Amino acid sequence: MDVIGRFSNADSLTGWGDWADEYFYIYPDGTAVRFGTIHGTASHYSFTEPTILLEPGKKAEDYVSLQAATIANDQGETRTYSWANSFPSFPFADQPSGANIAVVNLKSTYRPFYIYLPGTGLGPYGAAAELRPAYSHFPTWNHWPVNQIPSDGRAALFPDHFSSAAIMSPETHLVTSEGPQPTKSTYFLFGLTNQPISSLAILDRSWIHPPAISIAGRSFAAIYDPSQRAYILTRQSSTRRQQKTRLQITLSASESSPVVNPAFVIKDWGDRQTGIRVDGERPPTGKIRTGFVDHLDGTDLILWIPYQSTHPISLTITARDENSPWHTQ
């Protein structure tokens, strides 16, 4: 599922400001990509701040452990940081080499996770100067508009209003994007997990180091787009008007480049029913998800396959008629 949003960060004096466009690609496994583009002239932007929203009567400590953040790298090496006795440094000290995975340790069965681009700076939000130690271990504000009070930038001293507590503030990389300049973009994965953070290492590797894809014949070319967490297959111009009904794809998966629930966007496939085989086998009915995106000049097939492997896999995608005994709904 795609979710699109646009918002502005306007200067209160001039009315002029920056604009941001956001796209969310949400998959059936509960993992999503947040892709954002910022149209603005500033040299620095903060793109994400994992934050807890609190109703009146509650503090951050009611929902989050004082061992508030755990980080990991793509080998599953981890470290947990505590806010109990002191405010952690930024970036976090003694991180596992190449750490780019983070979990906020809520007191709940499922905890939010984030997988960032390599090189992202991981650390706590703000600094010790923003704390009110007599009130909370975490920087907390009650400047939400629903409070209907003059509260812009107001630090919370008592849980008498809606409030928010910031836990982390990763420093993500922004890269120059296509389009009118100055324009910068970045993206990351996020979702919920009830497993140890080390279990996310294979998902991390599948996204940062996706398996190479090869397609039999010359009808389609393919690239991997990490901002969609999907392989994009584009019909070649010489075959654009041909009705290709069969694709044979190989993903060269390995321990360092595993397959984890791959997604495909097949341009100009049409709205025909589609049959799938994975390593020659028909998947169980209802497991694979398909969808279509209509454009003025054609229809794209969206395909998501719940499959994990550290060995090469082959996929056969066939356009079927509705009378086929194994077409995918």
Side-chain angles (χ1 to χ4, degrees):
M1 179 176 69
D2 299 352
V3 180
I4 304 172
R6 166 168 279 195
F7 60 91
S8 66
N9 181 25
D11 184 281
S12 60
L13 297 178
T14 66
W16 293 87
D18 302 335
W19 284 89
D21 296 315
E22 293 199 33
Y23 296 81
F24 292 81
Y25 300 92
I26 306 170
Y27 292 100
D29 59 4
T31 300
V33 185
R34 180 185 178 192
F35 172 66
T37 298
I38 300 170
H39 311 275
T41 58
S43 59
H44 175 79
Y45 293 93
S46 176
F47 184 67
T48 175
E49 294 173 359
T51 296
I52 299 171
L53 304 182
L54 306 164
E55 69 268 34
K58 296 294 185 179
K59 301 196 302 182
E61 286 82 348
D62 293 317
Y63 295 118
V64 64
S65 168
L66 293 182
Q67 312 295 314
T70 301
I71 65 174
N73 61 17
D74 65 3
Q75 299 304 306
E77 299 170 326
T78 71
R79 183 175 178 116
T80 298
Y81 294 88
S82 174
W83 275 247
N85 298 317
S86 62
F87 195 79
S89 62
F90 191 103
F92 288 134
D94 302 322
Q95 297 187 32
S97 177
N100 67 317
I101 308 170
V103 167
V104 175
N105 293 318
L106 299 186
K107 298 176 180 179
S108 59
T109 301
Y110 286 88
R111 295 159 295 132
F113 73 81
Y114 309 85
I115 301 179
Y116 299 104
L117 294 172
T120 296
L122 300 179
Y125 178 89
E130 296 186 79
L131 292 177
R132 303 296 183 269
Y135 177 65
S136 177
H137 294 80
F138 303 96
T140 308
W141 302 267
N142 50 26
H143 52 214
W144 291 91
V146 294
N147 287 321
Q148 299 182 350
I149 59 173
S151 60
D152 186 20
R154 183 176 185 266
L157 300 176
F158 195 80
D160 55 344
H161 293 287
F162 287 98
S163 61
S164 65
I167 309 302
M168 295 180 61
S169 184
E171 293 290 336
T172 56
H173 292 296
L174 295 171
V175 297
T176 301
S177 301
E178 296 180 359
Q181 299 300 319
T183 299
K184 304 176 181 69
S185 296
T186 193
Y187 45 86
F188 62 87
L189 294 185
F190 68 102
L192 296 171
T193 184
N194 62 353
Q195 301 299 311
I197 188 175
S198 58
S199 68
L200 298 169
I202 189 171
L203 174 61
D204 180 5
R205 297 196 303 273
S206 75
W207 181 58
I208 299 297
H209 305 290
I213 182 173
S214 59
I215 303 174
R218 299 180 179 179
S219 57
F220 282 83
I223 61 169
Y224 184 79
D225 183 357
S227 70
Q228 296 187 49
R229 192 191 165 206
Y231 292 93
I232 312 299
L233 281 64
T234 304
R235 192 183 295 275
Q236 297 300 281
S237 58
S238 61
T239 61
R240 185 175 181 84
R241 296 186 179 276
Q242 299 177 14
Q243 281 287 86
K244 183 68 176 178
T245 60
R246 185 181 182 88
L247 278 177
Q248 292 182 300
I249 297 171
T250 299
L251 297 180
S252 300
S254 64
E255 286 286 349
S256 58
S257 297
V259 165
V260 178
N261 301 344
F264 303 85
V265 179
I266 306 177
K267 300 289 188 178
D268 299 321
W269 180 257
D271 59 0
R272 298 163 292 172
Q273 296 293 336
T274 303
I276 313 295
R277 289 179 183 261
V278 180
D279 288 336
E281 300 293 329
R282 301 173 188 173
T285 302
K287 292 295 185 181
I288 290 178
R289 304 293 181 87
T290 60
F292 299 99
V293 177
D294 294 322
H295 302 285
L296 291 176
D297 57 352
T299 298
D300 301 341
L301 169 67
I302 312 298
L303 176 65
W304 179 84
I305 301 176
Y307 193 86
Q308 182 170 312
S309 178
T310 56
H311 302 285
I313 68 169
S314 64
L315 305 171
T316 302
I317 304 171
T318 308
R320 310 291 292 185
D321 60 48
E322 293 187 2
N323 296 320
S324 167
W326 57 281
H327 73 269
T328 301
Q329 297 290 347

